[in-house]
Amino acid sequence: MDAAGVDDQGNVYETPEELWEAMSRPAPRKKSKASEDESTPVWYEAAVQYWDNQAPTDDGVLGGYGFVSDIDVRDSRIFLNKAMGLVLADAKENKRTLVALDCGAGVGRVSRAFLLHHFQEVDLVEPSAHLLEAAKKDLWGPQKTSFPASHRAVGFFQQGLESFAPEPSRYDVVWVQWAMLYLKDEDAIAFLQRCAAVLRPGGMIFIKENVCNQGFIVDSEDASVTRSHAYNVELFTKRAGLKLAHTALQKDFPKQLFKVRMYALKP
């Protein structure tokens, strides 16, 4: 793909391929008393290490912007209803059972505040052990939220999306929020194709992600890459082979944050 990008260290990458090649090489650490040949973890290991050191709270997983959660959920609900309104109505009338997969689930914020209000069962996949444990304690503990009592979190998978393989014919919706930015292009494509291949009939993949104005921007602190809208569309459609059914921007987020865009994708 022809898209140039930059990182927070001032490095310029003419193409994404140049970035991924650079990220595949461990960078030497300064020697310490503990070790003389340590190397920094690369990409996925660095991302997990970052999140292992964040507070297992909504505010922690939202980078100190926990107050945007309600606004985030509001627009996610509107977008989901636009894409799958009739299906959700049938489920509400007990005409069918819906199951969702929450990808990059963190402490279960999206499941608790959003998905479990619409889906009878939700599975969570998250690579950080202590975030996932917080999600399990919350969602399996005394119910403090307003989702229906019959709805429940079922599976908790500690695994990165780059290697996760969803169960065939289980999911009506795969919801990927603020997680695609941690995947290399080739792993993002493979993950989306694995999900598309095992969706139930009429199922969809939803992606909610930061977007930059052009190319891509790398954050070395949490090992993430924010892609432009054009980059995402090419990645999801031309390269992963999915069909873009709907897209919309998140509204009313603080102006100092990246714009956030939602995508509804069909196999």
Side-chain angles (χ1 to χ4, degrees):
M1 178 176 178
D2 185 17
V6 297
D7 66 20
D8 51 4
Q9 305 301 311
N11 298 307
V12 177
Y13 305 93
E14 294 301 324
T15 65
E17 290 74 21
E18 185 178 334
L19 164 67
W20 302 127
E21 182 180 355
M23 291 301 104
S24 68
R25 299 191 298 268
R29 289 178 179 169
K30 293 181 179 179
K31 291 183 179 180
S32 66
K33 293 181 180 179
S35 172
E36 293 189 355
D37 61 354
E38 291 180 346
S39 60
T40 58
V42 295
W43 207 251
Y44 297 125
E45 292 87 351
V48 174
Q49 189 175 83
Y50 173 84
W51 287 109
D52 280 347
N53 286 289
Q54 306 308 307
T57 62
D58 286 1
D59 201 51
V61 298
L62 289 172
Y65 288 89
F67 62 89
V68 306
S69 186
D70 288 347
I71 302 169
D72 165 59
V73 168
R74 177 200 69 192
D75 282 17
S76 293
R77 183 171 289 120
I78 292 170
F79 191 70
L80 178 67
N81 273 285
K82 179 179 180 180
M84 298 188 71
L86 294 177
V87 174
L88 295 174
D90 283 348
K92 194 171 184 179
E93 295 176 4
N94 296 316
K95 294 180 180 179
R96 62 184 296 175
T97 298
L98 297 179
V99 181
L101 177 65
D102 183 357
C103 299
V107 296
R109 179 190 69 88
V110 171
S111 288
R112 176 186 358 104
F114 170 46
L115 293 175
L116 280 164
H117 293 254
H118 301 282
F119 297 85
Q120 284 90 339
E121 294 186 3
V122 176
D123 292 341
L124 295 81
V125 55
E126 164 59 45
S128 173
H130 90 124
L131 296 185
L132 191 64
E133 185 60 28
K136 186 181 296 185
K137 288 180 180 178
D138 183 19
L139 296 174
W140 279 2
Q143 187 167 311
K144 302 176 183 178
T145 51
S146 59
F147 61 80
S150 60
H151 293 196
R152 60 198 182 102
V154 178
F156 294 81
F157 305 104
Q158 187 198 337
Q159 194 170 354
L161 300 185
E162 71 277 6
S163 59
F164 183 75
E167 179 181 336
S169 301
R170 173 161 172 74
Y171 301 110
D172 299 281
V173 160
V174 173
W175 188 274
V176 190
Q177 181 159 346
W178 287 318
M180 196 62 65
L181 77 170
Y182 294 106
L183 294 180
K184 299 178 181 179
D185 285 4
E186 60 184 25
D187 291 329
I189 292 166
F191 171 70
L192 290 173
Q193 290 175 338
R194 288 196 299 273
C195 291
V198 299
L199 284 172
R200 289 176 173 175
M204 299 182 72
I205 299 169
F206 291 84
I207 297 172
K208 188 166 188 177
E209 196 55 86
N210 292 347
V211 292
C212 57
N213 291 330
Q214 60 183 11
F216 58 91
I217 299 174
V218 181
D219 186 336
S220 60
E221 184 180 16
D222 67 350
S224 66
V225 55
T226 297
R227 302 169 172 96
S228 69
H229 173 54
Y231 190 151
N232 280 334
V233 170
E234 179 169 332
L235 188 68
F236 304 154
T237 60
K238 292 183 180 179
R239 300 180 67 188
L242 303 178
K243 299 174 183 177
L244 180 61
H246 302 284
T247 185
L249 281 169
Q250 169 72 43
K251 298 178 180 178
D252 301 326
F253 267 18
K255 294 186 183 302
Q256 65 268 31
L257 299 180
F258 279 116
K259 292 179 181 179
V260 174
R261 183 172 283 274
M262 294 168 281
Y263 303 87
L265 304 165
K266 294 182 178 180

